[in-house]
Amino acid sequence: MDLSQLGTPIAPMVRVHGGFANRMYRLDTDRGSFAVKELNVLDRRSAYHAADVFRFERAAFAAGVPMPEPISAGPGMLVHRWVEGEKVPEEPVSPAYAFEIGEILARIHALGVAWPHVPAEEPAPRDWPELAGRATATGQPWAGELASRVATFLAIARFVETCERPGPVVLTHRDIQPWNLLSREGRPVVLDWELSGMLDLSGELGSTALSLAKGPGFDDIRPAIFRTVLDGYAAGGGTLPPWGPSWFVFLIGGWLGHTRWNILRCLAGVEAGAGPELALSHESVRNGLRGLPELFSRLPELQDLRG
């Protein structure tokens, strides 16, 4: 993409490390600072509808959703206005922050933007025995952990495939997690809209509320914060869907697919030209192998969060 429309650079473009799927850079010019994101368009788990996502972002920004201003979208690259803010740590957020996230979700769901794509969810992966064998044969550092959890991952896949989603389906961000948020003077800024699309409302609310109500693991979950996200959603005009395991199936299924995607990158054994660094993929695999079985085992507890 030609970046000359952003102005004359006043410093070299700088890589910002840490992305789980894409690569981002900061560009400072005489017209301001910009986040330039190089999209991983070849090695993706699902199709990326760049033009439609950008149109959705523009509508959200125009409606006052707190987010970086979308500047341009082109083949393999996105540009947004750079936003300063504090990273949101993986720990329970404040009640005020949780409430405002709920309100923001209600505002996003009420935008009324047309979406031309039929909702599609990737099949739950079932090739865990094969992956464990390949990991052992190639000497992956986490091969033993994967081999010992094959039966659990197959059970998780069955749950993802059979869990009933009650609807409604909404056009939404699909990935409001601490790593996709900033805090400016204690208030949210929503980043990274690339996964936007249609999603069962219960899955969006459960994933978002749980991520904001817990610490790095699952020993510190604050039910009050979980419920505060939902209170904010209702206050913003949203209607809560029926309660049940569907509130967590999107989170579990997404993490399952993300873990497998990173396993395949690790098995390739080479630094890919796009997406996360190989070391980050290994870290993501370890987190999935340890965290997913724990999350799955705690489903009965999670279903008590609504109170």
Side-chain angles (χ1 to χ4, degrees):
M1 181 186 293
D2 180 12
L3 300 177
S4 60
Q5 78 277 11
L6 302 179
T8 303
I10 60 176
M13 193 159 61
V14 177
R15 173 81 183 274
V16 180
H17 291 273
F20 287 102
N22 305 300
R23 298 189 178 185
M24 192 175 74
Y25 304 82
R26 174 171 175 160
L27 176 63
D28 295 314
T29 79
D30 59 352
R31 298 182 186 176
S33 297
F34 302 90
V36 179
K37 184 171 290 186
E38 178 188 14
L39 298 174
N40 182 11
V41 295
L42 298 177
D43 181 21
R44 290 183 60 88
R45 289 164 49 201
S46 59
Y48 175 54
H49 307 293
D52 295 302
V53 170
F54 187 72
R55 179 170 50 85
F56 181 44
E57 283 192 79
R58 294 292 293 174
F61 183 78
V65 173
M67 59 185 289
E69 179 186 2
I71 301 297
S72 61
M77 194 168 293
L78 289 175
V79 179
H80 294 80
R81 185 78 59 180
W82 186 270
V83 173
E84 295 290 350
E86 299 176 1
K87 291 184 177 181
V88 176
E90 194 174 353
E91 61 185 35
V93 301
S94 71
Y97 194 98
F99 189 89
E100 189 165 358
I101 287 291
E103 289 184 313
I104 289 169
L105 275 176
R107 197 184 313 170
I108 291 171
H109 297 167
L111 286 174
V113 175
W115 190 256
H117 308 285
V118 176
E121 186 174 336
E122 59 181 322
R126 298 286 194 128
D127 57 347
W128 299 102
E130 176 192 344
L131 293 174
R134 291 175 60 189
T136 299
T138 55
Q140 301 298 325
W142 34 261
E145 288 184 86
L146 175 56
S148 68
R149 292 176 171 87
V150 164
T152 300
F153 276 79
L154 289 173
I156 293 172
R158 285 193 294 272
F159 166 73
V160 171
E161 286 187 342
T162 59
C163 183
E164 183 179 354
R165 280 83 158 167
V169 175
V170 295
L171 177 58
T172 189
H173 183 284
R174 290 171 54 101
D175 197 25
I176 296 184
Q177 305 286 328
W179 50 85
N180 288 334
L181 292 167
L182 292 177
S183 178
R184 295 188 68 184
E185 299 179 351
R187 303 189 67 184
V189 178
V190 182
L191 310 174
D192 296 342
W193 293 64
E194 292 90 86
L195 295 182
S196 295
M198 306 301 291
L199 179 63
D200 186 89
L201 175 57
S202 61
E204 173 83 331
L205 290 176
S207 174
T208 302
L210 180 60
S211 71
L212 299 181
K214 73 177 190 66
F218 300 97
D219 292 328
D220 183 21
I221 300 176
R222 310 283 176 85
I225 297 299
F226 187 98
R227 290 191 288 267
T228 299
V229 175
L230 309 187
D231 291 342
Y233 188 76
T239 301
L240 298 178
W243 179 247
S246 66
W247 282 63
F248 306 103
V249 69
F250 173 68
L251 172 64
I252 292 173
W255 198 0
L256 190 71
H258 181 70
T259 300
R260 180 182 181 274
W261 180 73
N262 279 288
I263 286 175
L264 293 175
R265 290 176 71 89
C266 294
L267 289 174
V270 295
E271 193 72 49
E277 294 87 352
L278 191 57
L280 186 56
S281 285
H282 278 289
E283 180 183 344
S284 295
V285 170
R286 291 189 186 93
N287 289 340
L289 294 180
R290 297 166 188 175
L292 259 171
E294 182 178 3
L295 173 60
F296 185 59
S297 71
R298 294 196 178 208
L299 266 178
E301 298 174 39
L302 296 180
Q303 292 183 64
D304 292 335
L305 286 172
R306 275 280 298 269

